[in-house]
Amino acid sequence: MSGAHDTDFTPVYPDEQDSNTRFEHIYALYRDRIRSYFLLKINAMVADDLTQQVFMKVSENMHRFRGSSHIFTWIFKIAQNTLKNEYRRLSRQNETPLDFTQLESQSITLEFTKYVDFRIDIGAALQTLDEKNQEIIALRFFADCTLPEIASIVGMRESAVKNRLYRALGKLKHELNEWGNMAIMSIEQLISIENKGSSEHSVNRLKKANHDLFTQLSGNVERLATKYNYQPKRKVIIEMYPDLPTFHRAVGEAHAPNWFTGTYEENILKIVSPLNPGPEHTYESIIKGTIHLFSMWLIEEINPLSPKWIRQGIGGYEAKLMTPDFLKNSTKEAIRTNSIPTFAQLDDDTWDFETKKGFQFSYMFVEFVIEKYGLEAMNQLIRQPQDLKGILGCSETEFRQKLVNYLNQLF
């Protein structure tokens, strides 16, 4: 949602305060808006240069501004003239300044909830609009202008600007082939893939693997961010290794078991290529396993102290790689003999975690909390795992007994 209203800013006049202080304030307030406008028209390096040119002119001509319009309108007029001069320069060199397909993808950010902004990618679609509508879209969503500001800049009535904006967005909606499908954070804003040590002959297969990873993640990243009330603040990088031995060596676990195909460090998810998943996995399970890893990473971003059973449990619960039959057959003996691991026993970073059925029991513990107490309780536990009594109304011993009863009834 636009933050351009500037309700806390009173226009600055030359005789009100020291010119340097006044300029610094104006620069801080409007620099990003002018640069964002330029980025829609030209590449980032030139945008930075032109932005600096604009504010040099602002500094040199502050004494000419008399407050007859909003100061941003005055600055934007300078920006427009600066851009026109750049276009003239480009035209003399036979360069095309408005080739949107050659620029970085642009996006409109719309506030969807308290936690999530949806970004609508409109880079290529903008070229379907006429120049005036492009200008209005750019001013509203990239220069972050209010409707009155836009009306002043383009010399139109505010109602006319509003109508044009509405129609232009409608056309973009059509060009983007359904607003709902595009109203998600562009996955490339949040995820990038780096392929480690892949041979050239596998390029086409590698492209398919990358595409399938993006497809899998694009259907889940915003869903998980919304579900667990957290918007990631940094980009996730996926490092994909060509085979199990290479992956194991890369993460310092040369003798790891074959089921170990993914991990994460900081904001880097490291996985073996789905093209060579090893004897215990498939192409599909590696692709879906990225949801497990991303979910775990997300929970740790929310609370670095969240216990392993919550991180692993949510990862398994969201990836849905374990079938009900597998869960039942692999845990029924431990359930029958009341050998279900405790929370403390599941806080295990050795390979014994798999031996004690840690993946399965963590999954079932999370499933129990969500089904019995609700998602809000799960979100509270992620953030305050020590407050079991306050959140669930029972001690760990009582909670464990409820779990045992649940699992016995389940299987």
Side-chain angles (χ1 to χ4, degrees), residues 239-257:
E239 289 185 354
M240 190 159 62
Y241 294 85
D243 51 49
L244 270 178
T246 305
F247 165 70
H248 288 165
R249 288 194 300 271
V251 299
E253 298 287 356
H255 303 292

Side-chain angles (χ1 to χ4, degrees), residues 31-43:
R31 186 261 181 193
D32 288 345
R33 293 171 67 179
I34 294 299
R35 183 178 183 275
S36 294
Y37 172 73
F38 282 148
L39 279 173
L40 189 65
K41 307 287 188 178
I42 49 186
N43 66 50

Side-chain angles (χ1 to χ4, degrees), residues 125-170:
L126 276 171
Q127 60 188 318
T128 66
L129 302 178
D130 63 35
E131 186 174 346
K132 181 66 74 175
N133 285 340
Q134 287 180 13
E135 196 80 353
I136 290 172
I137 288 283
L139 289 168
R140 181 67 185 90
F141 293 105
F142 296 96
D144 204 23
C145 294
T146 63
L147 292 179
E149 287 173 345
I150 297 171
S152 175
I153 290 167
V154 300
M156 297 172 60
R157 295 191 308 275
E158 185 177 336
S159 59
V161 168
K162 188 173 183 178
N163 288 336
R164 270 187 175 261
L165 183 63
Y166 179 83
R167 288 197 299 270
L169 288 175

Side-chain angles (χ1 to χ4, degrees), residues 243-271:
D243 51 49
L244 270 178
T246 305
F247 165 70
H248 288 165
R249 288 194 300 271
V251 299
E253 298 287 356
H255 303 292
N258 288 330
W259 56 260
F260 178 55
T261 58
T263 187
Y264 63 94
E265 298 174 7
E266 294 294 330
N267 63 320
I268 303 175
L269 311 188
K270 302 185 177 188
I271 64 170

Side-chain angles (χ1 to χ4, degrees), residues 48-210:
D48 287 338
D49 181 56
L50 295 191
T51 301
Q52 290 302 110
Q53 289 185 37
V54 167
F55 282 97
M56 285 179 63
K57 293 174 184 175
V58 169
S59 177
E60 293 167 357
N61 293 280
M62 277 297 297
H63 63 283
R64 297 183 179 179
F65 177 67
R66 299 299 176 186
S68 57
S69 65
H70 193 286
I71 193 166
F72 180 74
T73 304
W74 180 68
I75 294 172
F76 189 80
K77 291 292 185 183
I78 296 174
Q80 284 181 312
N81 290 332
T82 303
L83 186 63
K84 287 176 183 177
N85 290 336
E86 177 66 9
Y87 281 2
R88 292 189 188 102
R89 185 188 70 80
L90 291 173
S91 66
R92 288 195 293 270
Q93 299 176 14
N94 295 318
E95 296 181 32
T96 304
L98 278 172
D99 184 1
F100 286 96
T101 61
Q102 299 301 312
L103 300 180
E104 293 182 3
S105 178
Q106 302 293 330
S107 64
I108 295 174
T109 298
L110 305 175
E111 185 178 291
F112 179 70
T113 70
K114 179 179 178 182
Y115 303 98
V116 179
D117 284 345
F118 281 164
R119 294 180 183 171
I120 302 172
D121 189 351
I122 65 168
L126 276 171
Q127 60 188 318
T128 66
L129 302 178
D130 63 35
E131 186 174 346
K132 181 66 74 175
N133 285 340
Q134 287 180 13
E135 196 80 353
I136 290 172
I137 288 283
L139 289 168
R140 181 67 185 90
F141 293 105
F142 296 96
D144 204 23
C145 294
T146 63
L147 292 179
E149 287 173 345
I150 297 171
S152 175
I153 290 167
V154 300
M156 297 172 60
R157 295 191 308 275
E158 185 177 336
S159 59
V161 168
K162 188 173 183 178
N163 288 336
R164 270 187 175 261
L165 183 63
Y166 179 83
R167 288 197 299 270
L169 288 175
K171 185 172 176 59
L172 284 178
K173 175 182 175 180
H174 175 74
E175 293 296 330
L176 292 169
N177 190 24
E178 297 298 332
W179 187 276
N181 290 340
M182 296 302 298
I184 58 174
M185 176 184 289
S186 170
I187 198 66
E188 295 185 13
Q189 295 286 331
L190 191 59
I191 303 288
S192 65
I193 296 179
E194 296 180 2
N195 299 293
K196 300 289 185 178
S198 299
S199 58
E200 291 184 8
H201 74 273
S202 64
V203 167
N204 289 335
R205 295 175 68 221
L206 200 55
K207 285 182 179 179
K208 181 183 185 309
N210 288 352

Side-chain angles (χ1 to χ4, degrees), residues 184-323:
I184 58 174
M185 176 184 289
S186 170
I187 198 66
E188 295 185 13
Q189 295 286 331
L190 191 59
I191 303 288
S192 65
I193 296 179
E194 296 180 2
N195 299 293
K196 300 289 185 178
S198 299
S199 58
E200 291 184 8
H201 74 273
S202 64
V203 167
N204 289 335
R205 295 175 68 221
L206 200 55
K207 285 182 179 179
K208 181 183 185 309
N210 288 352
H211 172 77
D212 290 346
L213 278 171
F214 275 129
T215 299
Q216 183 70 221
L217 288 165
S218 65
N220 287 277
V221 166
E222 281 293 342
R223 176 184 68 83
L224 293 169
T226 304
K227 185 172 184 177
Y228 295 105
N229 288 349
Y230 185 79
Q231 185 65 33
K233 295 178 175 62
R234 53 180 174 165
K235 189 168 188 173
V236 167
I237 298 170
I238 295 179
E239 289 185 354
M240 190 159 62
Y241 294 85
D243 51 49
L244 270 178
T246 305
F247 165 70
H248 288 165
R249 288 194 300 271
V251 299
E253 298 287 356
H255 303 292
N258 288 330
W259 56 260
F260 178 55
T261 58
T263 187
Y264 63 94
E265 298 174 7
E266 294 294 330
N267 63 320
I268 303 175
L269 311 188
K270 302 185 177 188
I271 64 170
V272 68
S273 171
L275 300 173
N276 295 294
E280 297 192 26
H281 282 274
T282 65
Y283 182 96
E284 289 74 20
S285 69
I286 297 297
I287 296 293
K288 290 188 70 175
T290 58
I291 301 305
H292 187 126
L293 285 175
F294 180 81
S295 300
M296 290 182 64
W297 174 82
L298 183 72
I299 300 310
E300 191 163 311
E301 283 285 289
I302 295 171
N303 179 11
L305 299 179
S306 58
K308 187 170 184 177
W309 74 266
I310 289 182
R311 287 181 280 118
Q312 281 287 0
I314 288 177
Y317 181 81
E318 296 299 343
K320 295 293 189 291
L321 281 168
M322 294 181 283
T323 66

Side-chain angles (χ1 to χ4, degrees), residues 309-342:
W309 74 266
I310 289 182
R311 287 181 280 118
Q312 281 287 0
I314 288 177
Y317 181 81
E318 296 299 343
K320 295 293 189 291
L321 281 168
M322 294 181 283
T323 66
D325 284 345
F326 172 77
L327 289 168
K328 177 179 179 180
N329 294 332
S330 62
T331 61
K332 62 183 179 183
E333 183 62 21
I335 293 172
R336 186 185 67 81
T337 59
N338 199 21
S339 302
I340 301 169
T342 64

